[in-house]
Amino acid sequence: MTTVSVILPTYNEKDNITPLVEAVLRSSQHPTSVWVVDDDSPDGTWQRVAEMAAHDPRVHLIHRTDAKGLTSAIARGIRDSDGDIVVWMDCDFSMPPERIPALVNAIVRESADIAVGSRYVAGGADVGHSLMAQAFSRTINLAAGLLFGFGVHDYTSGFIAARRVVFERIELTGDYGEYCIDLLVRSQRQGWRVVEVPYLCVERQSGQSKTGVNAMDYIRRGRHYVTTIGRLALHHRP
Ligand SMILES: Nc1nc2c(ncn2[C@@H]2O[C@H](COP(=O)(O)OP(=O)(O)OP(=O)(O)O)[C@@H](O)[C@H]2O)c(=O)[nH]1
Ligand SMILES: [Mg+2]
């Protein structure tokens, strides 16, 4: 039977992480393990995970003190976990854990290599972000779609399931959300079958956004997205 590893990158998600891990395990339809990669959150997130891990062998804690950052946290989770399919998502309940089976089944039943949780296909939507954040996301995705094709509509998703074998040929690069554009463009170019599965993005349940709250934060992050799109368009033609 196909096994699934769900990677949960956390920084200060103390009030979300326990119910999220429980919801992931509750909704799973395949043998599932959970790998929380926490970057020494000062709010006590990793201590809560350590308590869960002590009682449930499906729960694993990777407590990093020597590295930081979302992309490298996901990459570490992929490396350390063992499921045939790896899934990752934000840990703020903006992405519903109940949609994980739909992502996994797109791979198991429909022979996809990568399933992308998408806000921008029929049945998906974003009701969790400010108009400014939505405009930013739509603009980035329009640019990516025009340049790299509308095989994917949500290049900045961050809610992904993929066959482990994909990562034998692709390493995640980047610092934050831009890694997702890079992954989805390069995997399509390499010929992996990428499908989208709709999901409803809602507001984070508790805690604070790490992307930012104001225009300056978005401009600061946005530069990395634009640079990534430019690099992919110029230097990595198939
Ligand atoms: N391990 C680790 N996880 C991180 C780091 N930065 C953010 N995260 C996690 O990455 C996920 C996304 O972070 P969010 O703050 O929700 O950012 P976002 O979803 O891009 O932005 P919002 O839409 O504003 O919420 C969450 O699970 C965070 O806890 C980091 O440096 N290290
Ligand atoms: Mg979030």
Tab-separated table of all heavy atoms in Angstrom, residues 116-121 126 133-158 177 180-182 184-185 188 196 199 225-226 229:
chain	number	residue	atom	x	y	z
A	116	VAL	N	-1.140	19.721	-7.217
A	116	VAL	CA	-1.006	21.072	-6.673
A	116	VAL	C	-2.356	21.517	-6.110
A	116	VAL	O	-3.349	21.560	-6.848
A	116	VAL	CB	-0.606	22.061	-7.793
A	116	VAL	CG1	-0.386	23.461	-7.220
A	116	VAL	CG2	0.628	21.581	-8.524
A	117	GLY	N	-2.419	21.835	-4.840
A	117	GLY	CA	-3.624	22.434	-4.278
A	117	GLY	C	-3.777	23.819	-4.887
A	117	GLY	O	-2.876	24.641	-4.795
A	118	SER	N	-4.927	24.056	-5.530
A	118	SER	CA	-5.046	25.293	-6.308
A	118	SER	C	-6.252	26.123	-5.889
A	118	SER	O	-7.362	25.615	-5.765
A	118	SER	CB	-5.153	24.947	-7.800
A	118	SER	OG	-5.303	26.121	-8.556
A	119	ARG	N	-5.986	27.419	-5.709
A	119	ARG	CA	-7.062	28.376	-5.412
A	119	ARG	C	-7.706	28.878	-6.683
A	119	ARG	O	-8.772	29.472	-6.643
A	119	ARG	CB	-6.479	29.597	-4.672
A	119	ARG	CG	-5.856	29.277	-3.342
A	119	ARG	CD	-4.926	30.378	-2.862
A	119	ARG	NE	-3.681	30.389	-3.623
A	119	ARG	CZ	-2.658	31.205	-3.394
A	119	ARG	NH1	-2.746	32.115	-2.439
A	119	ARG	NH2	-1.557	31.145	-4.128
A	120	TYR	N	-7.044	28.646	-7.825
A	120	TYR	CA	-7.445	29.341	-9.046
A	120	TYR	C	-7.996	28.423	-10.128
A	120	TYR	O	-7.895	28.716	-11.317
A	120	TYR	CB	-6.254	30.148	-9.582
A	120	TYR	CG	-5.684	31.102	-8.544
A	120	TYR	CD1	-4.309	31.205	-8.339
A	120	TYR	CD2	-6.521	31.897	-7.759
A	120	TYR	CE1	-3.787	32.064	-7.379
A	120	TYR	CE2	-6.006	32.748	-6.796
A	120	TYR	CZ	-4.643	32.837	-6.616
A	120	TYR	OH	-4.137	33.691	-5.662
A	121	VAL	N	-8.551	27.277	-9.731
A	121	VAL	CA	-9.303	26.439	-10.672
A	121	VAL	C	-10.712	26.281	-10.109
A	121	VAL	O	-10.945	26.586	-8.928
A	121	VAL	CB	-8.647	25.048	-10.885
A	121	VAL	CG1	-7.327	25.173	-11.627
A	121	VAL	CG2	-8.452	24.315	-9.567
A	126	ASP	N	-9.886	31.857	-2.793
A	126	ASP	CA	-9.122	32.429	-1.693
A	126	ASP	C	-10.005	33.440	-0.976
A	126	ASP	O	-10.294	34.499	-1.510
A	126	ASP	CB	-7.856	33.108	-2.245
A	126	ASP	CG	-6.950	33.651	-1.143
A	126	ASP	OD1	-7.376	33.656	0.035
A	126	ASP	OD2	-5.821	34.052	-1.459
A	133	ALA	N	-3.070	41.300	-0.952
A	133	ALA	CA	-2.369	40.009	-1.055
A	133	ALA	C	-2.898	39.212	-2.243
A	133	ALA	O	-2.127	38.565	-2.969
A	133	ALA	CB	-2.550	39.225	0.236
A	134	GLN	N	-4.211	39.273	-2.460
A	134	GLN	CA	-4.792	38.532	-3.588
A	134	GLN	C	-4.333	39.116	-4.921
A	134	GLN	O	-4.038	38.373	-5.861
A	134	GLN	CB	-6.318	38.568	-3.511
A	134	GLN	CG	-6.850	37.729	-2.365
A	134	GLN	CD	-8.366	37.567	-2.424
A	134	GLN	OE1	-8.953	37.469	-3.481
A	134	GLN	NE2	-8.992	37.547	-1.265
A	135	ALA	N	-4.266	40.450	-4.991
A	135	ALA	CA	-3.823	41.091	-6.235
A	135	ALA	C	-2.374	40.710	-6.523
A	135	ALA	O	-1.990	40.413	-7.662
A	135	ALA	CB	-3.973	42.607	-6.121
A	136	PHE	N	-1.561	40.674	-5.475
A	136	PHE	CA	-0.155	40.291	-5.611
A	136	PHE	C	-0.065	38.866	-6.155
A	136	PHE	O	0.630	38.594	-7.142
A	136	PHE	CB	0.506	40.405	-4.229
A	136	PHE	CG	1.893	39.847	-4.172
A	136	PHE	CD1	2.957	40.563	-4.697
A	136	PHE	CD2	2.136	38.620	-3.579
A	136	PHE	CE1	4.251	40.039	-4.646
A	136	PHE	CE2	3.410	38.096	-3.525
A	136	PHE	CZ	4.470	38.809	-4.064
A	137	SER	N	-0.810	37.965	-5.556
A	137	SER	CA	-0.766	36.558	-5.952
A	137	SER	C	-1.278	36.372	-7.388
A	137	SER	O	-0.693	35.643	-8.191
A	137	SER	CB	-1.603	35.746	-4.963
A	137	SER	OG	-1.710	34.413	-5.384
A	138	ARG	N	-2.363	37.054	-7.709
A	138	ARG	CA	-2.937	36.940	-9.064
A	138	ARG	C	-1.955	37.451	-10.118
A	138	ARG	O	-1.831	36.883	-11.195
A	138	ARG	CB	-4.230	37.757	-9.167
A	138	ARG	CG	-5.377	37.173	-8.386
A	138	ARG	CD	-6.115	36.154	-9.228
A	138	ARG	NE	-7.321	35.697	-8.587
A	138	ARG	CZ	-8.083	34.722	-9.035
A	138	ARG	NH1	-7.756	34.090	-10.155
A	138	ARG	NH2	-9.160	34.353	-8.404
A	139	THR	N	-1.273	38.550	-9.811
A	139	THR	CA	-0.334	39.132	-10.777
A	139	THR	C	0.838	38.196	-11.025
A	139	THR	O	1.233	37.936	-12.168
A	139	THR	CB	0.193	40.504	-10.258
A	139	THR	OG1	-0.938	41.314	-9.961
A	139	THR	CG2	1.066	41.192	-11.271
A	140	ILE	N	1.399	37.663	-9.942
A	140	ILE	CA	2.521	36.717	-10.063
A	140	ILE	C	2.080	35.501	-10.880
A	140	ILE	O	2.786	35.025	-11.779
A	140	ILE	CB	3.003	36.262	-8.658
A	140	ILE	CG1	3.615	37.426	-7.890
A	140	ILE	CG2	3.961	35.081	-8.747
A	140	ILE	CD1	4.965	37.876	-8.378
A	141	ASN	N	0.876	35.008	-10.595
A	141	ASN	CA	0.403	33.802	-11.284
A	141	ASN	C	0.046	34.064	-12.737
A	141	ASN	O	0.212	33.185	-13.588
A	141	ASN	CB	-0.767	33.180	-10.519
A	141	ASN	CG	-0.257	32.281	-9.407
A	141	ASN	OD1	0.347	31.245	-9.670
A	141	ASN	ND2	-0.437	32.699	-8.166
A	142	LEU	N	-0.423	35.276	-13.040
A	142	LEU	CA	-0.692	35.611	-14.438
A	142	LEU	C	0.628	35.647	-15.217
A	142	LEU	O	0.738	35.080	-16.313
A	142	LEU	CB	-1.416	36.970	-14.525
A	142	LEU	CG	-1.710	37.458	-15.940
A	142	LEU	CD1	-2.668	36.498	-16.663
A	142	LEU	CD2	-2.320	38.865	-15.909
A	143	ALA	N	1.622	36.287	-14.627
A	143	ALA	CA	2.934	36.353	-15.297
A	143	ALA	C	3.498	34.953	-15.501
A	143	ALA	O	3.978	34.605	-16.594
A	143	ALA	CB	3.901	37.202	-14.463
A	144	ALA	N	3.418	34.117	-14.470
A	144	ALA	CA	3.947	32.753	-14.581
A	144	ALA	C	3.159	31.961	-15.625
A	144	ALA	O	3.743	31.231	-16.438
A	144	ALA	CB	3.888	32.060	-13.224
A	145	GLY	N	1.849	32.131	-15.643
A	145	GLY	CA	1.019	31.407	-16.609
A	145	GLY	C	1.358	31.804	-18.035
A	145	GLY	O	1.494	30.948	-18.927
A	146	LEU	N	1.509	33.117	-18.266
A	146	LEU	CA	1.822	33.598	-19.623
A	146	LEU	C	3.176	33.076	-20.087
A	146	LEU	O	3.364	32.713	-21.245
A	146	LEU	CB	1.801	35.133	-19.651
A	146	LEU	CG	0.405	35.776	-19.541
A	146	LEU	CD1	0.530	37.282	-19.324
A	146	LEU	CD2	-0.452	35.471	-20.772
A	147	LEU	N	4.129	33.023	-19.165
A	147	LEU	CA	5.480	32.598	-19.547
A	147	LEU	C	5.648	31.086	-19.582
A	147	LEU	O	6.352	30.563	-20.443
A	147	LEU	CB	6.504	33.186	-18.552
A	147	LEU	CG	6.831	34.653	-18.748
A	147	LEU	CD1	7.490	35.222	-17.488
A	147	LEU	CD2	7.732	34.839	-19.957
A	148	PHE	N	5.015	30.390	-18.652
A	148	PHE	CA	5.311	28.959	-18.487
A	148	PHE	C	4.119	28.058	-18.787
A	148	PHE	O	4.230	26.848	-18.723
A	148	PHE	CB	5.808	28.689	-17.056
A	148	PHE	CG	6.898	29.625	-16.615
A	148	PHE	CD1	6.759	30.391	-15.467
A	148	PHE	CD2	8.060	29.763	-17.369
A	148	PHE	CE1	7.753	31.275	-15.066
A	148	PHE	CE2	9.063	30.632	-16.977
A	148	PHE	CZ	8.915	31.404	-15.828
A	149	GLY	N	2.976	28.670	-19.085
A	149	GLY	CA	1.813	27.871	-19.469
A	149	GLY	C	0.796	27.761	-18.347
A	149	GLY	O	1.136	27.799	-17.168
A	150	PHE	N	-0.460	27.623	-18.783
A	150	PHE	CA	-1.546	27.541	-17.812
A	150	PHE	C	-1.891	26.082	-17.489
A	150	PHE	O	-3.020	25.779	-17.126
A	150	PHE	CB	-2.761	28.339	-18.305
A	150	PHE	CG	-2.519	29.828	-18.249
A	150	PHE	CD1	-2.156	30.531	-19.395
A	150	PHE	CD2	-2.614	30.519	-17.050
A	150	PHE	CE1	-1.904	31.897	-19.334
A	150	PHE	CE2	-2.360	31.882	-16.989
A	150	PHE	CZ	-2.004	32.578	-18.137
A	151	GLY	N	-0.886	25.213	-17.611
A	151	GLY	CA	-1.025	23.854	-17.082
A	151	GLY	C	-1.166	23.927	-15.576
A	151	GLY	O	-1.721	23.040	-14.930
A	152	VAL	N	-0.612	24.988	-14.997
A	152	VAL	CA	-0.774	25.284	-13.571
A	152	VAL	C	-1.324	26.706	-13.464
A	152	VAL	O	-0.888	27.607	-14.173
A	152	VAL	CB	0.585	25.189	-12.829
A	152	VAL	CG1	0.452	25.678	-11.398
A	152	VAL	CG2	1.108	23.753	-12.848
A	153	HIS	N	-2.325	26.881	-12.599
A	153	HIS	CA	-2.894	28.226	-12.377
A	153	HIS	C	-2.437	28.823	-11.049
A	153	HIS	O	-2.550	30.014	-10.829
A	153	HIS	CB	-4.423	28.161	-12.397
A	153	HIS	CG	-4.976	27.731	-13.716
A	153	HIS	ND1	-5.063	26.405	-14.091
A	153	HIS	CD2	-5.425	28.448	-14.770
A	153	HIS	CE1	-5.565	26.319	-15.308
A	153	HIS	NE2	-5.787	27.548	-15.758
A	154	ASP	N	-1.958	27.951	-10.141
A	154	ASP	CA	-1.533	28.436	-8.821
A	154	ASP	C	-0.071	28.052	-8.591
A	154	ASP	O	0.242	27.102	-7.867
A	154	ASP	CB	-2.448	27.840	-7.739
A	154	ASP	CG	-2.348	28.595	-6.420
A	154	ASP	OD1	-1.391	29.381	-6.256
A	154	ASP	OD2	-3.211	28.392	-5.548
A	155	TYR	N	0.810	28.817	-9.256
A	155	TYR	CA	2.252	28.527	-9.173
A	155	TYR	C	2.821	28.818	-7.784
A	155	TYR	O	3.923	28.409	-7.467
A	155	TYR	CB	3.016	29.350	-10.218
A	155	TYR	CG	3.015	28.742	-11.606
A	155	TYR	CD1	2.089	29.142	-12.566
A	155	TYR	CD2	3.951	27.770	-11.965
A	155	TYR	CE1	2.087	28.590	-13.850
A	155	TYR	CE2	3.965	27.214	-13.237
A	155	TYR	CZ	3.034	27.624	-14.170
A	155	TYR	OH	3.049	27.070	-15.429
A	156	THR	N	2.083	29.557	-6.969
A	156	THR	CA	2.596	29.907	-5.638
A	156	THR	C	1.852	29.143	-4.533
A	156	THR	O	1.872	29.539	-3.373
A	156	THR	CB	2.469	31.428	-5.396
A	156	THR	OG1	1.114	31.837	-5.681
A	156	THR	CG2	3.394	32.211	-6.303
A	157	SER	N	1.221	28.044	-4.921
A	157	SER	CA	0.344	27.289	-4.018
A	157	SER	C	0.962	26.976	-2.645
A	157	SER	O	0.444	27.374	-1.609
A	157	SER	CB	-0.068	25.987	-4.709
A	157	SER	OG	-0.438	25.012	-3.791
A	158	GLY	N	2.015	26.192	-2.637
A	158	GLY	CA	2.588	25.753	-1.346
A	158	GLY	C	1.839	24.603	-0.709
A	158	GLY	O	2.195	24.169	0.386
A	177	GLY	N	8.346	31.468	-0.592
A	177	GLY	CA	7.307	30.925	-1.474
A	177	GLY	C	7.706	30.763	-2.925
A	177	GLY	O	7.090	29.989	-3.666
A	180	CYS	N	8.189	27.397	-4.956
A	180	CYS	CA	7.076	26.645	-5.530
A	180	CYS	C	6.977	26.902	-7.039
A	180	CYS	O	6.735	25.973	-7.818
A	180	CYS	CB	5.773	27.040	-4.815
A	180	CYS	SG	4.445	25.864	-5.092
A	181	ILE	N	7.196	28.145	-7.452
A	181	ILE	CA	7.203	28.467	-8.890
A	181	ILE	C	8.313	27.664	-9.562
A	181	ILE	O	8.110	27.019	-10.589
A	181	ILE	CB	7.454	29.979	-9.126
A	181	ILE	CG1	6.452	30.830	-8.344
A	181	ILE	CG2	7.427	30.301	-10.616
A	181	ILE	CD1	6.737	32.330	-8.406
A	182	ASP	N	9.487	27.711	-8.945
A	182	ASP	CA	10.649	27.012	-9.507
A	182	ASP	C	10.368	25.519	-9.632
A	182	ASP	O	10.618	24.901	-10.678
A	182	ASP	CB	11.859	27.275	-8.583
A	182	ASP	CG	13.107	26.563	-9.053
A	182	ASP	OD1	13.789	27.107	-9.940
A	182	ASP	OD2	13.378	25.461	-8.543
A	184	LEU	N	7.448	23.937	-9.821
A	184	LEU	CA	6.379	23.581	-10.768
A	184	LEU	C	6.788	23.832	-12.216
A	184	LEU	O	6.400	23.080	-13.115
A	184	LEU	CB	5.094	24.329	-10.412
A	184	LEU	CG	4.515	23.927	-9.035
A	184	LEU	CD1	3.304	24.767	-8.678
A	184	LEU	CD2	4.176	22.440	-8.995
A	185	VAL	N	7.602	24.849	-12.447
A	185	VAL	CA	8.079	25.097	-13.816
A	185	VAL	C	9.062	24.003	-14.222
A	185	VAL	O	8.941	23.388	-15.282
A	185	VAL	CB	8.736	26.492	-13.932
A	185	VAL	CG1	9.418	26.664	-15.289
A	185	VAL	CG2	7.694	27.587	-13.720
A	188	GLN	N	7.414	20.535	-14.788
A	188	GLN	CA	6.694	20.422	-16.071
A	188	GLN	C	7.690	20.273	-17.220
A	188	GLN	O	7.488	19.486	-18.137
A	188	GLN	CB	5.815	21.658	-16.288
A	188	GLN	CG	4.586	21.694	-15.386
A	188	GLN	CD	3.728	22.914	-15.655
A	188	GLN	OE1	2.717	22.854	-16.319
A	188	GLN	NE2	4.171	24.057	-15.134
A	196	GLU	N	-3.876	19.854	-11.017
A	196	GLU	CA	-4.325	20.749	-9.948
A	196	GLU	C	-5.589	20.200	-9.281
A	196	GLU	O	-6.453	19.631	-9.933
A	196	GLU	CB	-4.600	22.152	-10.496
A	196	GLU	CG	-3.310	22.895	-10.812
A	196	GLU	CD	-3.567	24.336	-11.206
A	196	GLU	OE1	-4.048	24.563	-12.330
A	196	GLU	OE2	-3.275	25.222	-10.401
A	199	TYR	N	-8.809	23.903	-3.846
A	199	TYR	CA	-9.042	23.992	-2.397
A	199	TYR	C	-9.437	25.417	-2.044
A	199	TYR	O	-9.157	26.365	-2.798
A	199	TYR	CB	-7.816	23.531	-1.594
A	199	TYR	CG	-6.769	24.590	-1.341
A	199	TYR	CD1	-6.764	25.314	-0.146
A	199	TYR	CD2	-5.791	24.882	-2.288
A	199	TYR	CE1	-5.810	26.294	0.099
A	199	TYR	CE2	-4.842	25.856	-2.048
A	199	TYR	CZ	-4.849	26.558	-0.862
A	199	TYR	OH	-3.917	27.532	-0.617
A	225	TYR	N	10.072	36.570	-6.002
A	225	TYR	CA	9.182	35.899	-6.963
A	225	TYR	C	9.523	36.360	-8.376
A	225	TYR	O	9.626	35.564	-9.302
A	225	TYR	CB	7.714	36.225	-6.651
A	225	TYR	CG	7.177	35.560	-5.398
A	225	TYR	CD1	7.530	36.026	-4.138
A	225	TYR	CD2	6.313	34.479	-5.471
A	225	TYR	CE1	7.031	35.435	-2.984
A	225	TYR	CE2	5.813	33.874	-4.329
A	225	TYR	CZ	6.179	34.361	-3.089
A	225	TYR	OH	5.690	33.763	-1.960
A	226	VAL	N	9.698	37.678	-8.521
A	226	VAL	CA	9.980	38.236	-9.850
A	226	VAL	C	11.334	37.733	-10.355
A	226	VAL	O	11.484	37.341	-11.514
A	226	VAL	CB	9.937	39.789	-9.797
A	226	VAL	CG1	10.410	40.394	-11.108
A	226	VAL	CG2	8.521	40.256	-9.469
A	229	ILE	N	10.990	34.109	-11.500
A	229	ILE	CA	10.302	34.013	-12.796
A	229	ILE	C	11.247	34.437	-13.921
A	229	ILE	O	11.362	33.776	-14.954
A	229	ILE	CB	9.010	34.876	-12.783
A	229	ILE	CG1	7.968	34.217	-11.881
A	229	ILE	CG2	8.460	35.068	-14.195
A	229	ILE	CD1	6.710	35.039	-11.668
